[in-house]
Amino acid sequence: MKTIRILFLVFLLFPFRAASYPAMEPSLFLCIQNSPLFLKSLSHPWITAHRGASTSAPENTLPALQAAIDAQADFVEIDVRETADGIPVLCHDSLLKRTSGESGSLQDYTYAELSVFDFGGWFSDSYKNVPIPTLEQALETCKGHIRMNIELKSGETLTETVLELLELHDMENQVVLSSTKLPYLKEAKEKKPEIPAGYIASSPCPWLLEEEIIDFFSVSSAWVTEDFVTQAHRLGKEVHIWTVDTSEALLAADALGVDNVITDCPKLAKTLLR
């Protein structure tokens, strides 16, 4: 009995934490634990607004980030690319046509040239002439309000520049970094090992489960399985699932035991999963 009492005191004083993320202020998330896995064991997955609240405002713009904050999402996911003059900006596609109507690749334009393009009119007339935001503007919008999942898309000095901006704005404890490119994640972990790094996978990748630099997997809802989630958790890694937009898909993701749902519809997710 004495041994049991000692063990009980140890668990009270030193609660278990797996694959922890740096915590923001407890008043913001109403939870003193800084681990999504710990939170998941008590309730439901974190909710990430995909490219901002992208059913409420044009994706990867400041209005979309603000809409994600207003929807009380836990995270906002953004896509970051480098311009011709090395400025990190928010844009998912390498080509400009879909979100601005302009021709050519984003990387061929300077930020000054991109800043006059309309990145909101395609969504609705009320967002006409919304400009492409810089990562720095996005950090300023989100700081102290919402955690960020920054996807590293492309750029010769992208990872280095992103890390410099995070340090400049004292945001290292409010973000996770993700990418489809392992070299970007390796560079980030070498320079800032405390920032969680996630590998984005559109197809099964069991051979990467034991990769040390990967703290979480951001995976397609088309293939993720309960077995993959179980194996990842056993290794202390998280599983984030995208893009989950219907009631049925959100509830199925919750049943799988994933740690984070990435959705275009954070308000719907909040209603179902909270």
Side-chain angles (χ1 to χ4, degrees):
M1 288 296 295
K2 184 177 180 180
T3 301
I4 293 174
R5 286 198 296 271
I6 291 172
L7 288 172
F8 180 72
L9 286 172
V10 168
F11 276 107
L12 282 178
L13 293 173
F14 304 100
F16 171 73
R17 294 184 180 187
S20 64
Y21 283 5
M24 291 181 65
E25 291 297 325
S27 60
L28 186 59
F29 287 99
L30 305 179
C31 180
I32 62 171
Q33 300 296 337
N34 69 356
S35 165
L37 283 178
F38 189 93
L39 180 64
K40 178 63 181 71
S41 70
L42 298 176
S43 54
H44 298 286
W46 292 105
I47 296 167
T48 294
H50 183 232
R51 307 179 193 174
S54 51
T55 57
S56 301
E59 64 180 60
N60 279 311
T61 62
L62 296 185
L65 302 188
Q66 188 58 53
I69 294 169
D70 295 341
Q72 299 184 333
D74 302 305
F75 286 77
V76 61
E77 184 264 352
I78 59 174
D79 305 285
V80 180
R81 296 180 178 275
E82 210 168 56
T83 64
D85 51 343
I87 305 297
V89 295
L90 276 57
C91 191
H92 178 272
D93 300 358
S94 61
L95 300 177
L96 295 172
K97 188 66 176 179
R98 182 176 66 87
T99 53
S100 73
E102 303 293 334
S103 61
S105 298
L106 180 145
Q107 65 183 12
D108 295 331
Y109 290 85
T110 65
Y111 172 64
E113 291 168 336
L114 289 167
S115 65
V116 301
F117 296 160
D118 175 9
F119 279 83
W122 67 271
F123 186 87
S124 73
D125 288 343
S126 59
Y127 291 103
K128 192 171 180 62
N129 295 321
V130 167
I132 190 171
T134 64
L135 174 60
E136 188 159 26
Q137 291 170 335
L139 295 177
E140 292 167 351
T141 299
C142 294
K143 185 173 182 178
H145 299 291
I146 192 169
R147 290 176 175 177
M148 303 178 75
N149 179 342
I150 300 174
E151 180 178 345
L152 304 172
K153 282 288 191 181
S154 67
E156 290 185 8
T157 62
L158 181 63
T159 302
E160 180 181 358
T161 306
V162 168
L163 293 177
E164 289 174 353
L165 285 171
L166 292 176
E167 183 173 356
L168 177 65
H169 289 272
D170 192 24
M171 293 275 285
E172 295 103 320
N173 68 340
Q174 196 182 325
V175 305
V176 301
L177 300 175
S178 60
S179 185
T180 60
K181 301 175 181 178
L182 278 176
Y184 286 177
L185 300 180
K186 288 180 179 178
E187 181 182 356
K189 288 303 262 186
E190 287 172 1
K191 295 178 178 178
K192 292 285 184 179
E194 71 276 14
I195 299 179
Y199 181 72
I200 301 172
S202 56
S203 59
C205 51
W207 60 90
L208 288 175
L209 276 167
E210 298 192 35
E211 172 59 61
E212 291 184 359
I213 66 163
I214 297 174
D215 299 302
F216 67 95
F217 290 90
S218 182
V219 301
S220 169
S221 60
W223 68 262
V224 67
T225 64
E226 187 174 356
D227 182 61
F228 183 86
V229 174
T230 299
Q231 290 185 60
H233 285 176
R234 189 179 296 124
L235 293 166
K237 302 177 188 293
E238 297 180 359
V239 178
H240 302 193
I241 183 174
W242 49 266
T243 306
V244 191
D245 289 341
T246 66
S247 298
E248 294 80 6
L250 285 161
L251 293 173
D254 189 19
L256 278 175
V258 302
D259 307 290
N260 195 313
V261 293
I262 302 173
T263 177
D264 295 326
C265 310
K267 288 183 179 180
L268 173 63
K270 194 85 172 180
T271 300
L272 285 175
L273 303 182
R274 292 289 187 270

